[in-house]
Amino acid sequence: MYQLKSYIKFLITSTNQHGVHSPFIYNFVTKCLYSKTKHQAYTKLKQYKQELQTSKAVLEITDLGEGSKTLDANQRQVSKMAKTSSSSKKDAELLFRLSKYFKFKTCLELGTSLGMGTYAFALANTNSQITTIEGCPNTSAFAQSKLTGKNIKNVEFIIGNFSDTIPALKQDNYDVIYFDGHHNKLATIKYFEALLPKVHNDTIFIFDDIYWSKGMTEAWEFIKNHKSVTVTVDTFHLGFVFFRREQVKEHFKIRL
């Protein structure tokens, strides 16, 4: 019910490119978010999603985050995970476009899940380096096996909770950090602040499910108002955070 009410409110308060006056964000919306280009990689993403949805595999799950609202806590069918907790085909295509548009070279993903988002980043720039962290060893191993079978070689898989693995990251900074795990207000704020030292002027943070719960929306509001953040773009399912010092602080709600 919370998500439904939030979506109705979002529809009322959001706009399209015609409500955007920042040239940087206008180009981002029109050339990336609204791009109609049919990339060949979309076929691969669609095929992978179908593989997951028809998989017979069952995984023993170690869930270090908020858990699933619809799936059993301990044993989960990959096919059901693909329908409920894995990135949608639409979101994966968007992550691919983002990586292409901004030419990400270093990517960090918090929450590998079944590797749908990981695959999108990897396909976009084969010379990029992607690091993905997953708390469940079996889920990580499954995703790594699947992507290795697709000849993906530019991904580093890390297993562990975010609190332990983030401080151990050796990369100085990242072009993009995708927050797609532990959908909890305090945890989201904690990891956001922990990763601020990994930011450069053009880094982008992407937050998944910012209306997953009241707490997640409160975390999103905290992030929007943080002194280090200049511009945000809220597309309901995903929230984009920019740190560009040359930008005036501004917040956009864009319908996709």
Side-chain angles (χ1 to χ4, degrees):
M1 185 59 70
Y2 174 77
Q3 292 177 337
L4 178 59
K5 289 180 178 178
S6 298
Y7 187 59
I8 293 170
K9 184 178 179 181
F10 173 83
L11 290 176
I12 295 170
T13 57
S14 59
T15 185
N16 55 24
Q17 75 270 25
H18 300 299
V20 176
H21 302 293
S22 161
F24 173 78
I25 297 299
Y26 181 85
N27 286 333
F28 170 52
V29 172
T30 57
K31 297 180 180 180
C32 181
L33 296 185
Y34 287 173
S35 173
K36 301 299 183 184
T37 302
K38 299 295 183 182
H39 298 277
Q40 289 184 344
Y42 287 179
T43 301
K44 293 183 178 181
L45 291 171
K46 180 181 179 180
Q47 289 172 343
Y48 186 45
K49 189 69 174 181
Q50 290 173 341
E51 286 179 31
L52 296 175
Q53 291 175 335
T54 57
S55 173
K56 303 298 184 183
V58 177
L59 301 179
E60 290 282 344
I61 297 297
T62 304
D63 201 323
L64 303 180
E66 283 297 282
S68 170
K69 292 181 177 179
T70 57
L71 299 178
D72 179 74
N74 299 318
Q75 280 198 339
R76 298 180 191 168
Q77 296 177 14
V78 167
S79 58
K80 290 185 177 180
M81 292 173 66
K83 294 173 183 176
T84 58
S85 59
S86 176
S87 294
S88 69
K89 176 177 167 290
K90 181 179 178 181
D91 284 349
E93 289 177 356
L94 178 51
L95 293 176
F96 175 88
R97 290 201 303 277
L98 281 162
S99 195
K100 276 288 187 187
Y101 181 75
F102 288 109
K103 298 179 175 62
F104 296 143
K105 294 181 180 177
T106 52
C107 309
L108 174 63
E109 178 184 42
L110 302 186
T112 312
S113 188
L114 301 176
M116 193 74 192
T118 321
Y119 192 32
F121 282 130
L123 287 174
N125 297 304
T126 55
N127 61 343
S128 64
Q129 179 56 48
I130 298 131
T131 300
T132 184
I133 305 173
E134 172 58 47
C136 175
N138 292 333
T139 303
S140 180
F142 178 86
Q144 183 170 1
S145 174
K146 295 293 288 185
L147 297 191
T148 299
K150 297 184 180 302
N151 203 34
I152 296 298
K153 300 178 179 178
N154 56 331
V155 178
E156 177 190 13
F157 291 85
I158 296 177
I159 299 170
N161 65 64
F162 300 153
S163 295
D164 293 335
T165 54
I166 288 174
L169 293 170
K170 296 181 175 61
Q171 183 75 31
D172 290 335
N173 53 55
Y174 293 92
D175 295 335
V176 63
I177 300 179
Y178 180 34
F179 296 75
D180 188 22
H182 206 165
H183 293 49
N184 168 278
K185 175 183 176 179
L186 295 180
T188 298
I189 292 172
K190 175 184 176 181
Y191 304 138
F192 164 75
E193 293 182 326
L195 286 164
L196 284 176
K198 300 292 188 180
V199 165
H200 58 70
N201 192 63
D202 296 316
T203 296
I204 301 171
F205 279 9
I206 307 170
F207 290 87
D208 184 63
D209 286 336
I210 54 177
Y211 293 98
W212 195 79
S213 64
K214 186 173 182 288
M216 280 299 293
T217 307
E218 290 172 351
W220 173 244
E221 290 299 320
F222 173 88
I223 291 163
K224 284 168 59 178
N225 292 304
H226 195 277
K227 63 182 180 180
S228 64
V229 172
T230 53
V231 176
T232 65
V233 176
D234 173 354
T235 65
F236 191 75
H237 293 295
L238 296 173
F240 302 91
V241 175
F242 298 87
F243 302 89
R244 291 160 51 89
R245 290 183 290 273
E246 61 270 35
Q247 296 286 138
V248 176
K249 194 172 184 75
E250 204 168 1
H251 307 294
F252 301 91
K253 289 186 177 182
I254 303 294
R255 291 188 296 270
L256 293 183

